[in-house]
Amino acid sequence: MPHRIAGIVFPGFQLLDMAGPVAAFEVAERIVPGSYRWRIAAPQAGRVVSSSGVAWEAAALPRAGTFDTLLVAGGDGIDALAAEPRLQRWLARADAQCERIASVCSGSHWLASAGLLDGRCATTHWSRTRQFTRRHPQVRWQPDRIFVRDGRFWTSAGISAGIDLALALIGHDLGEAVARRVARQLVVYYRRPGGQSQFSQLLEMERADGRFAGLLDHVRGRLAERHSVGDLAERACMSPRHFARAFVAETGITPARAVEKLRAEAARSALESGGEGVQQVARRCGYANPEQMRRSFMRLFGMPPSAVRIRTLRPS
DNA sequence: CGTGTTTACCGCCATG
DNA sequence: ATCATGGCGGTAAACA
């Protein structure tokens, strides 16, 4: 069964808010045929002109229950959309029946207007955070995030961040490996550093597609397992000594350090986007216990996991 | 918080 | 001679 996505646009929507995610789903569908089906809809069916003047053909709003994911674009027209009681009622019905709701950019304004984000963590385009904080004080706005997940609700920052959001959804649905391939195909960062996050050396490394890219992918896909230097060397068909030397020459860091970085980055990503507890993240990322993860964070990032964690009301 | 044990790293040297 | 490879042992760090 494909995931059914309903993308909502409206007069004055930001073209890239919807075009970016659709492109990501298109690539995902090509990699995993039958994984996604999407439909673009609008309050008024027909020609919908974006803020750029480029128009899209949209269907009428679909009935609740006919889609799994609702994806709302942003743009100047969002204020008019959010002000319509009829549309708020439609959104409430959709909320009751779909698996998750996502928004790009100022699309979160509509969700907030309908009260769906009350008490939840969410984000929006940086230029609107001040305004939205005033209008929707019940929402816990995270101004410095690329995207935020709180339970069934996924919101993302401005415009191109919709692609990051789509990659996160794809990662959730089809696995990290597929999401990474989609990112590579789109030539964008997978899990790009957001907010206070620093630039990732290992993301560069995987992009370099060097001799050890496959090995690193293998590790990344099995973070919960143990990966000693000896194991890695065997997998690379080299003696431990030669492997360590070649690895440093290729990547600039030592093998064990690379594994540690992969663990820590995955853990930080998970903690930053919320939805998982420290204990669970530590286990999933291959740390024997949260204490070990904490020490790793201090070594690599200079801050403990609690500093990057978002506490959510309804972890899923 | 110390302490024994394991692991990672690196310099050095041998081999082919 | 140069280079890729690999083994050994010491040191430091991380783990239990």
Side-chain angles (χ1 to χ4, degrees), chain A residues 146-170:
Chain A
I146 297 286
F147 72 88
V148 173
R149 175 191 176 185
D150 186 335
R152 298 166 51 232
F153 293 85
W154 307 58
T155 53
S156 71
I159 318 208
S160 75
I163 296 174
D164 300 81
L165 173 73
L167 289 172
L169 294 173
I170 291 166

Side-chain angles (χ1 to χ4, degrees), chain A residues 5-86:
Chain A
I5 297 165
I8 306 299
V9 298
F10 42 84
F13 77 102
Q14 169 64 46
L15 189 63
L16 194 57
D17 280 3
M18 193 55 68
V22 166
F25 292 126
E26 173 199 350
V27 173
E29 168 68 20
R30 209 178 308 145
I31 292 172
V32 184
S35 54
Y36 286 110
R37 204 166 63 207
W38 53 89
R39 188 149 50 130
I40 304 302
Q44 304 281 328
R47 210 174 111 90
V48 178
V49 183
S50 72
S51 58
S52 67
V54 174
W56 273 9
E57 208 62 42
L61 291 180
R63 266 185 310 108
T66 61
F67 52 90
D68 307 305
T69 296
L70 181 69
L71 177 63
V72 181
D76 289 338
I78 197 73
D79 296 296
L81 193 78
E84 277 207 53
R86 170 179 80 91

Side-chain angles (χ1 to χ4, degrees), chain A residues 188-249:
Chain A
V188 298
Y189 283 104
Y190 179 55
R191 296 270 152 107
R192 83 165 114 160
Q196 56 187 319
S197 305
Q198 306 159 36
F199 192 74
S200 162
Q201 189 180 357
L202 283 167
L203 287 175
E204 277 302 279
M205 221 157 82
E206 90 185 25
R207 196 167 313 281
D209 202 19
R211 217 167 12 144
F212 298 107
L215 183 69
L216 290 170
D217 274 341
H218 174 264
V219 172
R220 219 187 318 264
R222 285 164 247 268
L223 284 180
E225 295 168 27
R226 218 176 143 273
H227 299 285
S228 74
V229 175
D231 295 342
L232 298 178
E234 191 176 349
R235 183 162 283 276
C237 300
M238 296 183 204
S239 77
R241 182 68 189 94
H242 182 57
F243 168 70
R245 196 161 32 205
F247 192 94
V248 171

